[in-house]
Amino acid sequence: MRLPSIAAFLKGATRQLEVDWQTVLDDGVVALEWAPDGGHLAALSAAGTLTVWAGATGQRRWSCAAHRTGGMTLSWSADGTVLATGGQDRQVCLWEPTTGDRLVSLPAGAAWVERVAWSPPYQDGAPAVLASAAGKVLRFWTPAGDLISEHVRHTSTIADLHWHPQRRCLVTACYGLLTVWTPGTDLPAEVFAWKGSHLAVRWQPQGRYLVAGDQDATVHVWDVTTGEDLVMSGYMIKVRELAWHPAGRFLATGGGAVVTLWDFAGDGPAGSTPIVLEGHSGLVTALAYCPDGGVLASGAEDGVLVWRPPEKPGRTVSPVGRYDVAGGVACLAWRSDGVRLAVGGAQGEVLVAVVAT
């Protein structure tokens, strides 16, 4: 007799998430993000359609063909007054989020705009800066769309970028290098070299560690205070999914059908045994901690699971909530209050679920 898999058992035992509202876009969801105040949710489809909904009700506020040759990325400014998108048409577009008016279109420097990202609200009150990455070109822009600086010293296409949580700088990831840039300066502030292809990059929320998910099925870690580096291996496939706990102690990673959590307490994860969360029947595609760190959401080819991870390895942990998504999950986004989770599906489904944290 064939025994049921762990994933099949958990699917029957785990309660279904309560869904507030859901809809379907014209193509797979490539980017999904809440406005900072949680009042609106924006999504960009692979076909290039940008849609904004009222977050509480799911009422569509507006929708438009933002990038006719295909959408790639979006980002809200920290004050919620400007929405930026990038597509396969060489353009970065800035939008007025309440009306849907296109404020300006900006040349990104290459055909595909891989990433756009607004700077976080720094304590010094400095003006917001938008970063765009297209091909080997990194550009910094003002909220009005004026070019601050351009940086083309990259060895290959920029795969990802991430703003530092406290310092006014940004790191880019490409083949062989993580490079730290400050808007308005010519030379990089720091360079972290390693012979390999970096696919995703994240600063620890406290800024001590810089981590990259890599093509060779590893995660590379730098302690920026000492310059020491560390490689975590043993993943099934390349690692694109990285999510830090808000307190910076745990790093959640994908790279297979399980979620792996590394503990950065004390001297970091070197020589430690990670926490492994098993429950998905397909590859993990997205990870996101809720704002207070109480729960972790994982998206995969079979749908969404919500976890309360333990602080030590060795315990078998079951997810506390699940929701099946036909075609799999493309992206996840928590609302700022940590109660609602937005899910973007690979076949265009958008839903908002209520999660008791």
Side-chain angles (χ1 to χ4, degrees):
M1 183 176 72
R2 185 177 180 181
L3 296 176
S5 66
I6 292 176
F9 172 78
L10 291 175
K11 183 175 181 179
T14 306
R15 68 177 178 83
Q16 191 89 344
L17 293 175
E18 176 189 344
V19 174
D20 252 3
W21 58 269
Q22 60 191 119
T23 187
V24 179
L25 299 184
D26 58 346
D27 206 340
V29 182
V30 295
L32 181 77
E33 191 172 312
W34 290 93
D37 65 1
H40 292 88
L41 178 68
L44 185 65
S45 76
T49 302
L50 175 63
T51 307
V52 173
W53 299 270
T57 64
Q59 180 183 0
R60 190 177 70 175
R61 294 302 192 194
W62 56 270
S63 184
C64 71
H67 302 277
R68 295 186 181 278
T69 54
M72 294 290 291
T73 176
L74 69 78
S75 177
W76 287 88
S77 63
D79 62 4
T81 61
V82 185
L83 182 60
T85 62
Q88 300 175 30
D89 54 2
R90 299 178 175 267
Q91 298 297 306
V92 172
C93 297
L94 303 185
W95 307 87
E96 206 295 322
T98 58
T99 64
D101 292 337
R102 189 192 304 254
L103 301 174
V104 65
S105 293
L106 309 170
W112 285 36
V113 184
E114 193 70 32
R115 293 285 186 272
V116 293
W118 286 99
S119 59
Y122 294 119
Q123 292 184 348
D124 61 5
V129 176
L130 176 68
S132 66
K136 300 179 182 180
V137 181
L138 170 69
R139 288 178 175 169
F140 291 111
W141 311 88
T142 69
D146 297 320
L147 183 65
I148 298 172
S149 57
E150 177 185 80
H151 309 275
V152 296
R153 298 171 184 235
H154 292 91
T155 55
S156 66
T157 296
I158 301 169
D160 198 13
L161 50 78
H162 193 234
W163 285 95
H164 193 281
Q166 288 97 30
R167 293 163 41 203
R168 194 175 174 80
C169 62
L170 172 144
V171 62
T172 56
C174 61
Y175 184 88
L177 293 175
L178 299 182
T179 310
V180 180
W181 303 95
T182 301
T185 61
D186 293 330
L187 298 177
E190 295 175 273
V191 174
F192 299 88
W194 180 74
K195 190 175 181 180
S197 181
H198 300 306
L199 305 177
V201 63
R202 294 292 183 272
W203 290 100
Q204 183 201 35
Q206 290 68 35
R208 176 180 173 182
Y209 293 103
L210 186 59
V211 300
D214 295 327
Q215 178 76 31
D216 65 353
T218 65
V219 172
H220 205 118
V221 181
W222 282 267
D223 184 335
V224 299
T225 63
T226 65
E228 296 179 353
D229 65 324
L230 169 69
V231 176
M232 281 101 81
S233 58
Y235 292 93
M236 287 176 56
I237 59 171
K238 56 189 174 185
V239 183
R240 293 182 179 273
E241 306 80 27
L242 303 171
W244 281 102
H245 187 282
R249 176 176 171 181
F250 295 102
L251 173 71
T253 62
V258 301
V259 180
T260 305
L261 272 62
W262 297 96
D263 191 347
F264 281 73
D267 295 329
S272 67
T273 300
I275 298 166
V276 177
L277 305 179
E278 297 181 87
H280 286 295
S281 59
L283 298 175
V284 174
T285 54
L287 295 167
Y289 272 101
C290 75
D292 69 2
V295 298
L296 170 70
S298 59
E301 294 173 331
D302 58 341
V304 180
L305 292 176
V306 177
W307 311 83
R308 297 186 193 276
E311 293 194 354
K312 294 182 180 179
R315 284 183 53 199
T316 300
V317 180
S318 299
V320 297
R322 54 166 285 272
Y323 191 86
D324 296 339
V325 178
V329 174
C331 41
L332 300 168
W334 286 96
R335 201 170 73 172
S336 56
D337 62 4
V339 176
R340 281 167 173 77
L341 174 69
V343 180
Q347 294 183 355
E349 184 174 1
V350 175
L351 67 93
V352 172
V354 181
V355 181
T357 60

